C-alpha cells in the first residue's frame, strides 16, 4: 500500500502530454499552433477613426475643388484659325471666285487635308482632270468638290453640296432662266442660261449639288 501511494504521487508530478510552461500554462506542439494572425485584430487608418467620445480622432475631409491657378504658370490656348472675311460670309461664293486662279495646294492651304479624290473625264471618257473633295470649315455647306484641270492644274469647276436646300429656295435665289434635263433615278438637272450655275435636284425636290464653273 505504501508503494502504491508513492507511485501515485510520482505520476501526478509528471507534466501532461501537451506540456506546460514554467507558469503552469497549457502548451501546444508547434505543428498544432495557428500561424495565421488573429481575426480579431482591428486596423484603423489615419483620419478614418470613428468618433466615439471626447478626444476621438477626426475623420479626414476630401476636397474635390481644384487648387487656384498659379499666376506664374503659363496658360496655353489653341488659337482659332482665321479665314478671310469673304469666306466666313459665304464659303461657296468665295471659292467660286478662285476658279481659274487656285491650284490644289492653294485649296489645301485654306481647307485642310482633302477627304478624297477621283479623276474627272471629258466627253470622250478620257481623263482630263482631278476632282478633290473637302469639308467646309465654316459649316455652312456639307462638302465641296474642286475640279482641277489636268494640263494647267487650275481650278475649273466647283461642286457645292448644301446641308438643306430645296429647288424652290434655289429658284427664289437664282431665278428660273434654266434649261431642264432629266437624269437617272428621277433626278433633274437644271442649267442656268444667265449665269455659270448647274443644279442637280432629286425626285423629292431637294438640291443635291450646285455646280459652278
Amino acid at each position: 500500500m505504501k508503494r502504491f501511494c508513492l507511485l501515485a504521487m510520482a505520476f501526478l508530478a509528471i507534466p501532461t502530454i501537451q506540456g506546460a510552461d514554467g507558469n503552469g500554462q497549457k502548451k501546444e506542439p508547434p505543428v498544432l499552433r495557428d500561424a495565421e494572425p488573429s481575426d480579431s485584430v482591428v486596423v484603423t487608418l489615419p483620419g478614418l477613426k470613428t468618433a466615439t467620445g471626447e478626444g476621438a480622432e477626426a475623420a479626414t475631409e476630401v476636397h474635390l475643388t481644384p487648387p487656384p491657378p498659379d499666376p506664374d504658370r503659363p496658360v496655353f490656348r489653341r488659337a482659332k484659325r482665321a479665314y478671310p472675311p469673304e469666306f466666313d460670309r459665304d464659303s461657296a461664293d468665295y471659292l467660286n471666285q478662285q476658279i481659274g486662279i487656285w491650284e490644289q495646294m492653294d485649296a489645301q492651304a485654306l481647307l485642310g487635308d482633302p477627304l478624297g479624290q477621283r479623276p474627272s473625264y471629258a466627253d470622250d471618257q478620257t481623263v482630263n482632270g482631278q476632282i478633290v473633295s473637302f469639308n467646309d470649315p465654316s459649316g455652312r455647306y456639307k462638302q465641296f468638290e474642286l475640279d482641277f484641270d489636268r494640263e494647267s492644274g487650275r481650278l475649273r469647276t466647283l461642286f457645292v453640296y448644301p446641308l438643306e436646300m430645296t429647288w424652290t429656295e434655289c429658284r427664289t435665289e437664282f431665278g428660273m432662266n434654266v434649261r431642264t434635263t432629266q437624269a437617272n433615278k428621277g433626278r433633274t438637272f437644271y442649267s442656268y442660261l444667265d449665269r455659270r450655275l448647274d443644279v442637280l435636284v432629286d425626285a423629292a425636290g431637294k438640291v443635291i449639288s450646285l455646280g459652278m464653273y
Side-chain angles (χ1 to χ4, degrees), residues 150-166:
R150 183 175 184 179
E151 293 185 1
S152 67
R154 303 287 182 180
L155 176 63
R156 64 183 178 187
T157 309
L158 169 66
F159 299 98
V160 180
Y161 295 85
L163 293 171
E164 291 290 340
M165 187 178 192
T166 65

Side-chain angles (χ1 to χ4, degrees), residues 171-192:
R171 287 184 302 176
T172 301
E173 184 170 353
F174 301 115
M176 276 294 297
N177 189 11
V178 298
R179 182 175 63 250
T180 304
T181 304
Q182 294 301 316
N184 57 3
K185 299 181 180 179
R187 297 178 296 182
T188 306
F189 185 77
Y190 298 97
S191 181
Y192 276 84

Side-chain angles (χ1 to χ4, degrees), residues 96-207:
N96 186 30
Q97 297 176 32
Q98 312 310 317
I99 293 177
I101 302 174
W102 267 10
E103 296 183 358
Q104 183 173 339
M105 66 176 66
D106 301 310
Q108 291 186 205
L110 181 71
L111 303 176
D113 295 333
L115 301 175
Q117 55 187 17
R118 55 188 171 87
S120 56
Y121 299 90
D123 292 338
D124 60 359
Q125 297 304 306
T126 58
V127 176
N128 65 356
Q130 191 79 4
I131 298 176
V132 186
S133 58
F134 297 90
N135 277 326
D136 179 10
S138 73
R140 181 185 296 270
Y141 301 97
K142 184 188 304 180
Q143 186 175 316
F144 297 128
E145 284 189 331
L146 282 64
D147 181 13
F148 296 94
D149 183 77
R150 183 175 184 179
E151 293 185 1
S152 67
R154 303 287 182 180
L155 176 63
R156 64 183 178 187
T157 309
L158 169 66
F159 299 98
V160 180
Y161 295 85
L163 293 171
E164 291 290 340
M165 187 178 192
T166 65
W167 172 234
T168 301
E169 294 171 336
C170 189
R171 287 184 302 176
T172 301
E173 184 170 353
F174 301 115
M176 276 294 297
N177 189 11
V178 298
R179 182 175 63 250
T180 304
T181 304
Q182 294 301 316
N184 57 3
K185 299 181 180 179
R187 297 178 296 182
T188 306
F189 185 77
Y190 298 97
S191 181
Y192 276 84
L193 302 177
D194 56 354
R195 63 181 71 236
R196 293 177 176 272
L197 175 64
D198 296 330
V199 184
L200 182 61
V201 181
D202 67 12
K206 181 179 179 180
V207 174

